[in-house]
Amino acid sequence: MTIDLTRSEPLVLGIETSCDETGIGIVRGRTLLSNTIASSMAEHARYGGVVPEVAARAHLEALQPAIEAAVAEAGVSLQELDAVAVTSGPGLAGALMVGVGAAKALAVSLGKPLYAVNHLVGHIAADILTGDDVEYPTVALLVSGGHTSLLLVRDLVSDVEMLGETMDDAAGEAFDKIARILGLPYPGGPEIDRAAAGGDPDAIRFPRGLSRASDLAAHRYDFSFSGLKTAVARWIEQREAAGETVPVADVAASFREAVVDVLVTKALDACAQHGVPRLLLGGGVIANRRLREVALERAAAAGVAVRIPPLSLCTDNGAMIAALAAELISSGAEPSTLSFGADSTLPVTEIQVRG
């Protein structure tokens, strides 16, 4: 398993199975060749959320067809690959194990080096596939169904610091739960977005978690949406108990505004406190129209440049994993050994798992 570690444009296949999307991506250095995603979201919809066992089974069924589709789209053969990359964590343990096992088998069968990388740092790496130069340091706000994280990225392959993260429900989970309370389908993010379009975001002042002065000393960059979720549920219960109609659009808009306000406020505070005039947004919840709108508006007023990768690269995908591995290879990083495993709580500071 040898590779020229000084090569600037390695051909890498990335495998991502941390949650409910089977992502296979192929990159040549910083050039995206294919980005194939097979989602099991429809299978989870009946349960109102992701079921780990269902996700793992779906990955098993989707991996081979997804790899074949990615290779065909990229116009390369598996033998041409310089390396294989895979998400080692964080994520759902069973889902991660499927991807890790497949990546090891593929790398060994092809005689190619294997790079086990961090899922969260992969979201940051997605931005290098846009073709623009990436400046460091940058603050990164990652918002997805399973993670809400605020990171300080001094160097993509060697220095990523966790500034804060969710202490309970991630933002995406909060959207799903409030959508269920409002009688909206799963996944909740797009449904809340649609319902909020006709509502007044200032109709109801819902709480902004961990934003009071007393919270900031210990949790300045952390997030909590459980109190917000409870406040929305109680507000709805009180209206229903009084025999009044629940204004779904106003509730959705006001809830969304509370989430967006906290996310953007803490992200821009991190930029100010660390003297970083750059903010990168990533994760599937970035598809939320209001979040992008408020982030761009308030960042511009603060003199902070905002970068948002294409939405196809914001959701979980294999291309971002391949891109991170390609950067590691170009920087001279040695491959991972085959002794690494799936790590559902992998810290963001561990950009590559050596084994």
Side-chain angles (χ1 to χ4, degrees), residues 82-96:
D82 291 311
V84 175
V86 66
T87 296
S88 178
L92 302 175
L96 289 167

Side-chain angles (χ1 to χ4, degrees), residues 66-67 71 79 82 115 118 140 157 187 190 197 210 212 237 246 263 265 268 270 275 303-304 313 320 336 342:
I67 290 173
V71 168
Q79 290 71 26
D82 291 311
Y115 287 78
N118 191 295
V157 299
L210 296 182
R212 295 177 301 183
E237 288 171 3
V246 174
L263 292 172
T265 297
L268 291 178
V304 173
L313 294 175
M320 69 186 193
S336 304

Side-chain angles (χ1 to χ4, degrees), residues 16-23 37-62 92 95 186-187 316:
E16 155 59 32
T17 63
S18 66
C19 193
D20 62 339
E21 289 164 318
T22 306
I37 299 174
S39 175
S40 60
M41 188 177 296
E43 298 175 51
H44 301 284
R46 71 185 73 176
Y47 307 105
V50 175
V51 180
E53 293 81 1
V54 173
R57 276 200 307 272
H59 288 311
L60 279 170
E61 296 171 358
L92 302 175
Y186 174 86
D316 294 347

Side-chain angles (χ1 to χ4, degrees), residues 2-21:
T2 59
I3 185 172
D4 179 1
L5 294 176
T6 64
R7 184 169 177 178
S8 61
E9 292 193 329
L11 183 65
V12 184
L13 180 145
I15 299 176
E16 155 59 32
T17 63
S18 66
C19 193
D20 62 339
E21 289 164 318

